[in-house]
Amino acid sequence: MSQLARISWLVTVGICLITAVILLISGYDGYAGVTLAVAIAAGINLT
């Protein structure tokens, strides 16, 4: 995997995690869970 691809996946995971935390704080538990699942799925591409 190229360095640029790895950086783009890291940015995607980071944005999803930040979004999940914001949604959780706002009380949107279901959407936070879905966003966390997307972050985990994107994180799989880092291996």
Side-chain angles (χ1 to χ4, degrees):
M1 176 183 300
S2 72
Q3 194 66 14
L4 184 59
R6 181 175 287 287
I7 291 170
S8 65
W9 281 116
L10 278 172
V11 169
T12 302
V13 170
I15 289 171
C16 287
L17 289 175
I18 290 169
T19 304
V21 169
I22 291 170
L23 287 169
L24 194 59
I25 291 170
S26 299
Y28 295 102
D29 298 335
Y31 291 118
V34 170
T35 307
L36 184 60
V38 171
I40 292 169
I44 290 172
N45 289 315
L46 292 172
T47 59

